[in-house]
Amino acid sequence: SEEKLNSYDVILLFDVLEHIPVNDQILFMRRISGMLKEGGHIFIKVPNANSLLGMRWRYNDWTHHCSFTECSLEFVCLNSGFTDINFLKDESSLSPRWPLIPRWGLRYYYLRQIFRSVWRCYLRSELGAQCDSISVGYNLFAHARKA
């Protein structure tokens, strides 16, 4: 609505964009951009297609229309009026979890670290040095500014 145009300094869009049909995502993001003041910030969290479990998270929730790579999320942001897009480290899915047997918590944590390291090696063999900047956690976490 008109009263919300250029109203906000910051918008948090966590676990939302993947629920918007792909053909509507840029229009949706342009509307979000319109709500931000000039130079306003947006923080976005979406499922990461680069994750070892990327396909599981994509199809685990039937309301998801897509998952994102850093390239596809950057494409949506750039075509929606955002600049200075950067990807922030999101290792929230790596925090140690304490199951019924507490001593296993750290073992699971280190096991996930090992699997992610192996996955990074595979990505490097396929993609070369560009994979060094690819997040392999469950989510992509990005920050952008309204142009």
Side-chain angles (χ1 to χ4, degrees):
S1 67
E2 289 289 322
E3 70 272 0
K4 292 184 181 177
L5 290 177
N6 301 306
S7 297
Y8 301 101
D9 293 313
V10 176
I11 291 178
L12 305 176
L13 197 65
F14 292 178
D15 301 310
V16 173
L17 193 54
E18 66 273 15
H19 296 276
I20 306 299
V22 174
N23 291 337
D24 298 332
Q25 287 176 356
I26 291 175
L27 177 60
F28 175 80
M29 289 292 286
R30 285 180 181 163
R31 288 182 177 158
I32 296 287
S33 176
M35 289 189 255
L36 282 168
K37 295 178 183 174
E38 283 299 313
H41 301 268
I42 186 168
F43 291 89
I44 305 167
K45 185 177 79 143
V46 292
N48 184 4
N50 294 311
S51 166
L52 276 169
L53 294 172
M55 293 305 283
R56 176 176 173 73
W57 300 128
R58 162 66 176 90
Y59 291 104
N60 195 40
D61 180 343
W62 64 271
T63 66
H64 285 180
H65 290 273
C66 67
S67 290
F68 291 86
T69 66
E70 68 289 344
C71 297
S72 61
L73 184 55
E74 182 178 55
F75 177 87
V76 170
C77 289
L78 288 173
N79 284 282
S80 303
F82 292 98
T83 61
D84 301 329
I85 300 147
N86 56 71
F87 291 89
L88 308 169
K89 193 170 182 101
D90 176 29
E91 297 298 342
S92 58
S93 61
L94 261 183
S95 60
R97 298 193 180 136
W98 303 103
L100 294 176
I101 306 169
R103 68 175 189 259
W104 278 96
L106 283 176
R107 290 180 184 158
Y108 289 134
Y109 171 76
Y110 289 118
L111 192 57
R112 282 195 306 273
Q113 289 282 37
I114 290 166
F115 279 121
R116 286 190 181 180
S117 295
V118 170
W119 183 239
R120 281 196 171 287
C121 289
Y122 173 74
L123 288 174
R124 187 166 185 82
S125 74
E126 292 289 337
L127 303 173
Q130 78 180 27
C131 83
D132 293 342
S133 62
I134 294 175
S135 169
V136 295
Y138 297 157
N139 299 302
L140 284 178
F141 188 44
H143 166 260
R145 235 179 12 88
K146 180 177 178 177

